[in-house]
Each structure stands twice: as C-alpha cells, then as structure tokens.
C-alpha cells in the first residue's frame, strides 16, 4: 500500500472542500445585506443583473452541498405548490398551449428536475497515487428561454445550474416575460429568507434582442445556455463563448405494419396534442406504411382525433402558414395567430366544428405539404403514405432536417426499430409511446426543457453546467523511482 488511508482521506477532504462538498454547515438564516439584496432577481439592466448574480454566486461558493439542496428545495416546492397559479399566469400571458399541461409541466419539473444528487466525483487510485475528477461551477451563466415554456425552462435551468454551484441571468422571451419575472421573484424571495442569498436567478424584466446580445458579450458571463429556434441557436454558436444549445426540432413518427395501431393512435394523440403541440419533442408529422395507412387513420378516429378532408386541410393551411423571406429564401412559417391554439380553433379555420375538448386534428397529405416540413407547433398532424418502412424512415430522416432532436417509431419489429434509431441518430428516440414519455412525463427518467442537440449535451442536468477539474496526489513510487516501504 503506497498511500496511507489517512493521506487519501485528507486529499479527498481537501478536494471536496474546494468544490463545496464539505460537510454542510448551513449558512446564517439571513446573512449581512449585500449590494443587490432585496431585488429578488428582477432587473432591467444587464450589467446590474450580472453583478447581482456574481455576488450571489460568490456567496453560494461559501456554502456546502446541503445549502444547495435547500435552495433547490425552495424552487421545487414553489413549482409544485404554486403550479396552478403560476401555470394559469403563464397561460394568460402567452395565450398558447393548454392550461392543464402548463400546470403539469411545472409540477413535474418540481418533482423530476435533476439536482445535487447528479454531482459525482470520479476517483482513480493506483501505484502512482490518486486522481480525483471534480465537477466545479462555471460562475454566472447567461440563459435565453422560449415562449413555449417560459417559466418551466427557467425552473429546470435554475435547478440544474444552482445544483452545480452556478448563478444565472435569464433573458426570457418577451411574450413570457411577466411570468418569468414573477416566478424568479418568488424563488429568490424564498431562498433569501431562508439562506440569506438573493439573486441566484436574475431575469431581465424587459428583454429585447439587444439585452440578449449584451448577455452574450458580457465579460461576467462564463457560459451560455439557449433554448429556442434556429435564430437564437445560430446567435449563441456565433457568440464566441462556450454555448449549450437546445435548438429546434421537427420530430417525425414512423408507423410500420407490425405496430399495435390502437396504441400507436393513442400515443400520437397524447404526444402530438400535448400543450397543443408546443413541445420541441412533440410529434410533428407521421410516415405510415401503405398496408396499415387506412387502419391507422381509423384507429386515430376511434381514439378521439378528428380527421380533416383535403379541402379542410387546404383551408387550414392557408390560415396557419405564412410565407416569409425573398426569392429562393422564401419559406413558410407558422402563423402567430394559430400557433399553440386549441384543435377546435384550428378546426374553425378549416371550416369545421369539433367538440371543444378535441386534442388533435389530422389528415392525409403528401410529403411536400408545409405541415410536413415546418415545425408547426399546433395540434394538426399530417399523415404521409409510404410504400414500406424503408421509405418511411428515409422520409423521416429527410424531414427531421438533420436537427438530430427527436424521433418516434411504432413497431413490434426490432430490426426496424434498430434501423431507424441508427439512421435518425436523434438525441431522443421513442419506441411505442408518446414523445413526452422520453422526458419523464409519463415515462422513466428526469425532466428538463432544455434538450441540447446541436452541442451534444442531450437532456440537460447539473453536470452539463460544470467544468471538470482534476486534483492529483503523486505517490513516492513515481518520485523515488522505486517501491516505497511502509
Ligand atoms: P424563438 O427562437 O422565437 O425564441 C427563443 C428565445 O430566443 C426567445 O427568448 C427569443 O427572444 C430569443 N431570440 C430569438 N432570436 C434571437 C437572436 N437572434 N438573438 C438572441 N436571442 C434571440 O423560439 P420560441 O418560439 O420561443 O420557442 C420555440 C422554438 O424553440 C422551437 O423551434 C422549439 O423547437 C425550440 N425549443 C427547443 C427546445 C429544446 O430543448 N431543444 C425546448 C423548447 C423549445
């Protein structure tokens, strides 16, 4: 034995103390007031927000893991206990999606967002000594969040980032800024009251593209995490800073001839209709092999979805898609008025009345239809007929646009599942269930609404927001060139 146990213990204790994993000494209930204490994270000025978050980060560094757990506990508690009030606030402000799902997203985040338990150190010990790999915080992170889940994205990011020892400054989507500020204010107030640290989560109350750029460029921001569509993903990747990019998706579904069609139909309705199709992982277009095309459409109707005729689909498309750009760059995008609206509202635009509780509309289109290529974020799904499973997978790959975000298959043929998994190479691949099951909403696993495809981190966790550090203790064997004797 080259290293005594005492020596190992002392190195491990030193490393743990450095990363804030020393035996927890809870902080004073109300520490001395600092410069920005009492603001509860709501700022209009980016410089002030970054300075306040830095101050909070420095205070957090003086605390142990147990305090991080307590801080996250407050965020979880508020997210669960106040999910109805905050979910309703988000619905009233953004006016997209479905209230029951706004509420469920906040509640499930409170339960399933990964926290401090995700931090692990790796230890290598051998003849030459000891190496400990520790996961240290970055400092102050700059986050950009979408309108589709304004407060849920902030909540998940805050739990992950604080568990890892960071503070965060958020530029929310302007159309979800009020609920973002109110949620952040409540989180900070509870944390401040209990632990004496304010402003661990800062939010820009009047966010603009300029404030987003100021966060990207700020010297006090060590890392960027963006959740949104193609423009913000590009901006983050061009920012010159390390960026974690949770970008857009256009998740295809493949249904082959071996699928359980009633189960496939129920899953497609549950996933495609969830929060009116706002989720980036939600089913957006369905490729079905010819042999089961009509039976699957009948199963969809039996399960409660409403089938539109070709004429109705064309009327809906005229209202739901608008052309933007010039010349060769001209392309369709979803119309704001119908984005995230109820199926009954889309049906009216198609010239049809459906019961108000209808979750999903669907119908047959060909592959060139805008509802196939565009990430529609509304509860109408196009179904495309394919000769066989090979063609269905090929089209799925094409219309996923190389985002490598999410794909779904309904099949009982393992070869087809493996083949699709390999070809699609998506961050999330779901078999025989609704898309949200992959995020722990009705399935196994943990939940975050930032799924980093382009930069490869996947569903974000506290480890996503850490830097690796190595602490090495070298044994006598190497220094002296001979085995040491006890
Ligand atoms: P969006 O791209 O319009 O906005 C997202 C955020 O980026 C907003 O805060 C917006 O103000 C900001 N933004 C936009 N352009 C910017 C720029 N050039 N510079 C700086 N900031 C900019 O998206 P949205 O409508 O709010 O959300 C829907 C999109 O987000 C969809 O494409 C969806 O797939 C994607 N999304 C992805 C994930 C994921 O985890 N991968 C999660 C949720 C949403």
């Amino acid at each position: 034995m080259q290293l005594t146990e005492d020596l190992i213990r002392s190195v491990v204790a030193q490393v743990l103390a450095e990363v804030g994993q020393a035996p927890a000494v809870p902080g004073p209930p109300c520490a001395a007031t600092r410069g920005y204490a009492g603001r509860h994270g709501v700022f209009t000025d980016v410089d002030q927000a970054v300075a306040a978050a830095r101050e909070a980060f420095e205070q957090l560094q003086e605390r142990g893991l147990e305090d991080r757990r307590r801080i996250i506990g407050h965020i979880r508690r508020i997210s669960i206990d106040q999910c109805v009030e905050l979910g309703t606030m988000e619905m009233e402000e953004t006016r997209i999606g479905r209230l029951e799902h706004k509420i469920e997203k906040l509640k499930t985040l409170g339960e399933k967002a990964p926290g401090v338990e995700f931090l692990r150190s790796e230890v290598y010990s051998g003849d030459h000594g000891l190496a400990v790999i520790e996961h240290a915080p970055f400092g102050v992170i700059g986050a950009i969040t979408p309108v589709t889940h304004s407060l849920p994205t902030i909540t998940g990011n805050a739990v992950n980032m604080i568990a890892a020892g960071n503070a965060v400054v958020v530029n929310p989507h302007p159309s979800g800024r009020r609920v973002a500020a109110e949620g952040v204010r409540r989180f900070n107030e509870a944390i401040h009251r209990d632990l004496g640290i304010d402003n661990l989560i800062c939010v820009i109350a009047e966010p603009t593209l300029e404030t987003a750029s100021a966060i990207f460029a700020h010297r006090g921001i060590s890392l960027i995490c963006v959740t949104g569509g193609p423009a913000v993903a590009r901006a983050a990747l061009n920012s010159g800073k390390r960026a974690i990019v949770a970008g857009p998706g256009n998740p295809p579904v493949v249904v082959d001839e071996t699928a359980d069609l009633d189960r496939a139909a129920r899953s497609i309705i549950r996933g495609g209709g969830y929060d009116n199709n706002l989720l980036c992982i939600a089913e957006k277009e369905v490729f079905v092999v010819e042999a089961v095309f009509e039976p699957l459409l009948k199963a969809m109707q039996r399960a409660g979805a409403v089938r539109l005729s070709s004429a109705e689909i064309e009327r809906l498309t005229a209202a739901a898609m608008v052309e933007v750009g010039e010349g060769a760059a001209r392309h369709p995008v979803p119309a704001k008025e119908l984005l995230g609206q109820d199926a009954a509202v889309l049906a009216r635009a198609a010239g049809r009345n459906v019961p108000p509780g209808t979750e999903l509309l669907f119908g047959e289109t060909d592959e060139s239809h805008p509802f196939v290529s565009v990430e529609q974020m509304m509860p109408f799904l196009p179904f495309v007929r394919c000769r066989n499973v090979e063609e269905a997978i090929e089209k799925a790959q094409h219309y996923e646009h190389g985002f490598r975000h999410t794909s779904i298959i309904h099949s009982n043929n393992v070869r087809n599942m493996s083949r699709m998994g390999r070809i699609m190479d998506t961050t999330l691949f779901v078999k025989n269930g609704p898309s949200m099951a992959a995020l722990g909403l009705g399935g196994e696993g943990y939940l975050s609404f930032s799924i980093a495809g382009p930069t490869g981190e996947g569903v974000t966790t506290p480890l996503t927001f850490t830097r690796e550090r190595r602490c090495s203790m070298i044994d006598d064997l190497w220094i002296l060139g001979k085995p040491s004797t006890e």
Side-chain angles (χ1 to χ4, degrees):
M1 195 58 179
Q2 312 302 316
L3 286 170
T4 64
E5 276 186 25
D6 283 352
L7 190 53
I8 294 177
R9 267 202 211 99
S10 89
V11 173
V12 171
Q14 182 193 332
V15 169
L16 293 183
E18 277 179 29
V19 285
Q21 299 183 17
V25 183
C30 207
T33 305
R34 311 263 181 141
Y36 295 97
R39 297 284 295 267
H40 299 329
V42 183
F43 291 86
T44 47
D45 179 80
V46 170
D47 285 335
Q48 281 191 10
V50 176
R54 179 76 208 177
E55 194 177 82
F57 165 68
E58 284 169 5
Q59 291 175 70
L60 186 63
Q61 279 207 300
E62 292 163 14
R63 306 296 183 89
L65 270 195
E66 198 46 46
D67 278 3
R68 287 194 208 164
R69 263 195 206 95
R70 264 170 64 180
I71 290 168
I72 288 165
H74 286 297
I75 301 174
R76 291 192 195 284
R77 178 181 51 76
I78 291 168
S79 192
I80 294 169
D81 291 355
Q82 301 177 24
C83 61
V84 175
E85 190 188 347
L86 290 167
T88 306
M89 227 180 259
E90 176 140 358
M91 185 72 218
E92 282 174 357
E93 181 180 5
T94 62
R95 300 187 174 282
I96 54 175
R98 289 180 39 194
L99 178 58
E100 65 200 280
H101 299 141
K102 301 268 179 259
I103 294 168
E104 185 179 49
K105 287 194 290 186
L106 280 169
K107 182 167 178 289
T108 314
L109 262 175
E111 294 160 353
K112 289 198 167 181
V116 174
E117 69 285 357
F118 260 70
L119 297 177
R120 292 177 302 265
S121 295
E122 294 96 57
V123 179
Y124 297 84
S125 77
D127 288 348
H128 299 289
L130 179 70
V132 180
I133 315 294
E134 60 195 35
H135 299 281
F138 272 89
V140 180
I141 299 174
I144 311 282
T145 53
V147 67
T148 45
H149 347 274
S150 183
L151 188 55
T153 309
I154 295 174
T155 305
N157 283 173
V159 169
N160 285 183
M161 291 169 183
I162 295 172
N166 303 286
V168 56
V169 176
V170 183
N171 205 60
H173 192 289
S175 304
R177 67 186 190 286
R178 284 197 296 276
V179 69
E182 181 55 21
V184 163
R185 193 190 63 71
R186 292 181 188 199
F187 295 152
N188 282 308
E189 191 178 34
I191 297 164
H192 188 217
R193 196 180 321 116
D194 183 27
L195 290 113
I197 306 178
D198 198 5
N199 304 315
L200 275 169
I201 316 148
C202 292
V203 66
I204 305 301
E206 294 297 334
T208 60
L209 288 184
E210 287 69 39
T211 54
S213 303
I215 289 174
F216 285 167
H218 204 290
R219 290 183 55 165
I221 298 286
S222 321
L223 175 72
I224 289 168
C225 173
V226 303
T227 308
V232 71
R234 261 194 311 276
L237 290 170
N238 291 332
S239 70
K241 283 207 167 78
R242 162 102 198 273
I244 292 159
V245 177
N250 192 37
V253 184
V254 165
V255 183
D256 79 7
E257 59 275 32
T258 69
D260 174 337
L261 298 183
D262 286 315
R263 178 182 171 134
R266 282 199 307 273
S267 299
I268 293 167
I269 294 169
R270 178 107 180 93
Y274 193 82
D275 209 14
N276 284 344
N277 199 254
L278 287 182
L279 263 58
C280 57
I281 61 166
E283 291 79 352
K284 297 288 192 293
E285 64 276 346
V286 188
F287 300 102
V288 191
V289 299
E290 176 88 59
V292 292
F293 190 83
E294 282 303 332
L296 177 66
L297 267 54
K298 290 205 171 70
M300 291 289 294
Q301 286 174 295
R302 274 198 304 279
V306 173
R307 182 173 183 171
L308 298 187
S309 68
S310 312
E312 287 167 340
I313 294 172
E314 287 330 300
R315 274 198 293 276
L316 171 62
T317 309
M321 295 284 167
V322 288
E323 294 284 329
V324 297
E326 295 299 326
R330 200 161 169 75
H331 63 282
V333 295
K336 273 208 177 98
E337 303 72 43
L338 288 184
L339 195 135
Q341 298 309 307
D342 288 350
V345 176
L346 300 193
R348 270 202 297 282
R352 176 93 172 258
N353 272 325
V354 302
T358 305
E359 290 177 72
L360 193 73
L361 309 177
F362 71 101
E364 180 173 4
T365 72
D366 63 29
E367 65 176 292
S368 63
H369 199 278
F371 266 100
V372 175
S373 55
V374 174
E375 186 190 16
Q376 69 269 41
M377 294 185 278
M378 49 185 95
F380 168 81
L381 292 194
F383 280 55
V384 179
R385 211 181 271 263
C386 301
R387 279 192 308 280
N388 50 38
V389 73
E390 284 77 19
E391 189 187 51
I393 295 174
E394 193 184 299
K395 290 195 192 318
Q397 185 194 22
H398 181 76
Y399 289 104
E400 209 268 332
H401 304 306
F403 293 139
R404 295 195 299 175
H405 193 299
T406 300
S407 55
I408 299 120
I409 188 168
H410 293 279
S411 169
N412 280 306
N413 180 323
V414 176
R415 279 191 57 233
N416 290 349
M417 295 184 204
S418 308
R419 181 183 159 78
M420 180 161 171
R422 202 174 53 251
I423 290 174
M424 297 301 299
D425 194 18
T426 44
T427 305
L428 300 177
F429 181 42
V430 185
K431 297 161 188 157
N432 297 323
S435 54
M436 335 85 70
L439 285 187
L441 287 158
E444 290 304 322
Y446 50 84
L447 173 60
S448 161
F449 286 111
S450 295
I451 299 143
T455 47
E457 293 81 1
V459 182
T460 51
T461 74
L463 284 176
T464 310
F465 303 103
T466 59
R467 300 155 41 232
E468 251 190 33
R469 291 194 315 210
R470 179 184 294 203
C471 177
S472 296
M473 171 69 83
I474 316 303
D475 185 64
D476 287 354
L477 184 63
W478 186 78
I479 299 288
L480 303 177
K482 62 180 174 55
S484 63
T485 48
E486 290 274 321

